[in-house]
Amino acid sequence: MGRVFAITLIAVVAGAVVFLMNTENSHINNRVLRYETKQEIVQQNRHKVVEVLEADNEQLSATLSTYAHSYCSEKNSLEEYPLPNYNACEANSTLNVIPFVGGMTNALKFILLGALMSFQENRCFIVDEERSPLNPDDHSEQSFLNHYFEQIGLPHNDPFVVQAMAEGRVHTRYYQEYWDNLILRRVVQGKYNYKTAAYSHAENNVNGLALKRDFLRHMWHLQPSFRATTCQALKDHDIFDTDYIGLSIRRGDKAKERFQNRFPTMDEYILEAESAIPIIFKEGQRPKLFVATDDCSMLEILRKARPQWIFVSQCDQLSEAQTGFDLTEISKLDNKKREEHFGKFFVELYALALSKVFIGVAYTNVAWWAFMMRPADKETFLLIDESVQGQDALNYW
């Protein structure tokens, strides 16, 4: 099979790393060229949301309904979106090792990008979870990925992996390699003819976002038991039968990462929701909003501020209220709290992905993953924090 033709060469010139891009994707600039204020970006995106809803509200509802039933259809998801052919590599070729880095959506993002890079090199890959902060301290679970998801990459006991390890034919691929390079990050400006033995996209010159969206559906599948409980929770929230706005509110350990100055207030979330509510909900209809948050105290603030709105959330299903996610605490959770935590997370990801309008923040990979799960539009995906490097972050996801 042919390889992807979008290849980046790296040269070191006077101590600096320079990206020598081929003609096909030479329009992608790895430098920041355009700066805008937070207010300018949010205002522009708000206008786009309103324009799209006014022009095509019913069609958007139909598209989201199709997506929703696709994620939770009775048909096995592996039949509609089969796994990549993880064994599609040449004998005696190098095995790529992709480290599991950070929280769940952060790690999955880099695994997705690392997998696309590996396949274009005609290499197989494994995921190294040895240092994953999500594995329990008591070692009762050896693989976070295998516990919650269908197989991603080759199993570590695969004969090809065992032999490659024994012969030293391994190459650890750190995330900076396929994140710092915008071509390997597969941003929307990039165009790709992605045809490999492991996975191929049907279209030629597909943009980077469309490529990642399609590949995500093939790579990422919940294990049947978690898919069943997730889809049942969505049904309980009437996700499949009603329009709603999704709010993604991230607090917790993001303060440690110095993002606290970018935390939007609940008034800011309400303001953005109010711009879309008159179009989504008919006169006299109570607005419905799904709240995905790691700090359930935010839900009570919203309910007090707008008692006439309907707020639904997995926070209401918890045995103990969450007051902010902290990655360093996950490994210490007992099995019951662990399953409850990630069960809530899966429902939130699906609900955010299927919302009529998403309102959230760019500083969490929850938004990145939910965006890739959504249908191919960015106009109804509103980020209200300071966008990355002063730019419209979605252009660089």
Side-chain angles (χ1 to χ4, degrees):
M1 297 289 289
R3 298 185 182 184
V4 176
F5 57 70
I7 300 175
T8 299
L9 302 178
I10 301 177
V12 178
V13 180
V17 178
V18 180
F19 292 94
L20 306 176
M21 292 175 285
N22 67 354
T23 304
E24 180 66 24
N25 283 315
S26 60
H27 59 289
I28 303 177
N29 196 321
N30 277 280
R31 296 181 179 180
V32 176
L33 296 179
R34 179 172 57 85
Y35 290 88
E36 294 175 312
T37 67
K38 168 186 171 181
Q39 291 77 13
E40 288 174 332
I41 293 171
V42 171
Q43 188 174 31
Q44 290 172 10
N45 290 342
R46 185 189 304 151
H47 289 314
K48 291 176 184 177
V49 170
V50 172
E51 288 175 4
V52 168
L53 292 175
E54 287 180 337
D56 217 4
N57 192 18
E58 292 186 4
Q59 181 58 44
L60 182 57
S61 292
T63 301
L64 289 167
S65 177
T66 300
Y67 246 65
H69 287 91
S70 172
Y71 273 116
C72 286
S73 67
E74 294 182 1
K75 186 177 181 180
N76 188 329
S77 63
L78 290 172
E79 295 178 20
E80 188 173 4
Y81 292 94
L83 292 174
N85 182 5
Y86 291 122
N87 290 289
C89 50
E90 300 173 359
N92 301 318
S93 61
T94 299
L95 173 71
N96 281 348
V97 178
I98 302 175
F100 190 106
V101 180
M104 188 187 82
T105 48
N106 183 77
L108 287 171
K109 175 179 73 176
F110 291 136
I111 292 169
L112 184 151
L113 296 175
L116 287 171
M117 181 187 67
S118 297
F119 293 159
Q120 88 174 40
E121 297 171 339
N122 287 336
R123 292 184 179 183
C124 291
F125 75 91
I126 60 171
V127 179
D128 180 8
E129 298 183 69
E130 184 177 355
R131 297 183 180 179
S132 167
L134 302 184
N135 289 331
D137 286 345
D138 62 6
H139 304 291
S140 58
E141 180 184 300
Q142 297 301 314
S143 171
F144 170 85
L145 292 178
N146 289 345
H147 180 71
Y148 291 108
F149 313 121
E150 299 283 1
Q151 185 66 44
I152 299 178
L154 285 178
H156 285 225
N157 61 357
D158 184 273
F160 178 88
V161 175
V162 174
Q163 185 175 358
M165 289 288 188
E167 297 175 358
R169 290 184 287 104
V170 295
H171 185 184
T172 300
R173 314 303 291 270
Y174 295 103
Y175 74 89
Q176 292 90 343
E177 183 177 356
Y178 33 88
W179 183 252
D180 293 347
N181 180 335
L182 295 187
I183 292 179
L184 293 181
R185 194 191 298 185
R186 321 281 173 177
V187 295
V188 68
Q189 300 96 325
K191 304 296 182 183
Y192 304 87
N193 287 345
Y194 198 97
K195 315 292 181 185
T196 73
Y199 161 79
S200 293
H201 195 285
E203 299 179 17
N204 292 327
N205 293 322
V206 64
N207 73 66
L209 287 183
L211 174 64
K212 287 182 287 193
R213 278 191 167 106
D214 184 71
F215 184 64
L216 181 151
R217 296 299 301 272
H218 288 275
M219 184 194 85
W220 189 66
H221 297 265
L222 292 178
Q223 290 283 8
S225 61
F226 293 109
R227 182 172 183 257
T229 55
T230 297
C231 292
Q232 183 58 55
L234 295 173
K235 291 177 183 178
D236 293 342
H237 289 307
D238 291 328
I239 292 299
F240 304 126
D241 302 317
T242 57
D243 287 333
Y244 64 97
I245 295 171
L247 305 184
S248 177
I249 305 168
R250 180 72 164 90
R251 295 289 193 268
D253 57 9
K254 287 299 176 182
K256 297 180 182 179
E257 299 174 28
R258 300 181 180 178
F259 287 112
Q260 66 268 34
N261 293 332
R262 290 169 58 179
F263 289 170
T265 66
M266 294 306 98
D267 286 341
E268 290 181 81
Y269 278 95
I270 289 171
L271 175 64
E272 301 310 324
E274 286 178 333
S275 67
I277 282 173
I279 308 170
I280 298 176
F281 304 99
K282 298 177 181 179
E283 187 175 353
Q285 185 180 9
R286 293 180 67 191
K288 177 179 178 179
L289 299 91
F290 183 95
V291 180
T293 181
D294 62 324
D295 186 347
C296 293
S297 67
M298 299 297 106
L299 180 61
E300 294 309 309
I301 295 174
L302 289 167
R303 283 173 170 162
K304 289 179 180 179
R306 289 294 183 276
Q308 69 274 29
W309 294 0
I310 300 172
F311 293 97
V312 297
S313 175
Q314 283 300 101
C315 282
D316 295 326
Q317 310 302 319
L318 296 177
S319 58
E320 185 176 319
Q322 291 183 346
T323 57
F325 171 78
D326 189 329
L327 181 60
T328 62
E329 298 297 319
I330 292 298
S331 64
K332 303 172 186 177
L333 296 178
D334 61 33
N335 184 66
K336 181 179 178 180
K337 290 183 178 179
R338 182 181 179 80
E339 299 294 78
E340 184 180 64
H341 171 84
F342 287 106
K344 170 180 176 288
F345 198 7
F346 299 146
V347 175
E348 290 176 336
L349 284 174
Y350 274 54
L352 292 174
L354 301 172
S355 59
K356 178 66 78 70
V357 172
F358 171 101
I359 302 173
V361 290
Y363 58 75
T364 170
N365 285 293
V366 172
W368 193 96
W369 198 256
F371 181 62
M372 297 304 164
M373 290 176 67
R374 289 173 67 82
D377 88 285
K378 67 178 246 182
E379 285 76 16
T380 59
F381 197 90
L382 186 59
L383 299 171
I384 61 174
D385 65 318
E386 189 74 43
S387 294
V388 175
Q389 296 178 337
Q391 303 176 60
D392 183 348
L394 296 178
N395 288 333
Y396 296 88
W397 280 12

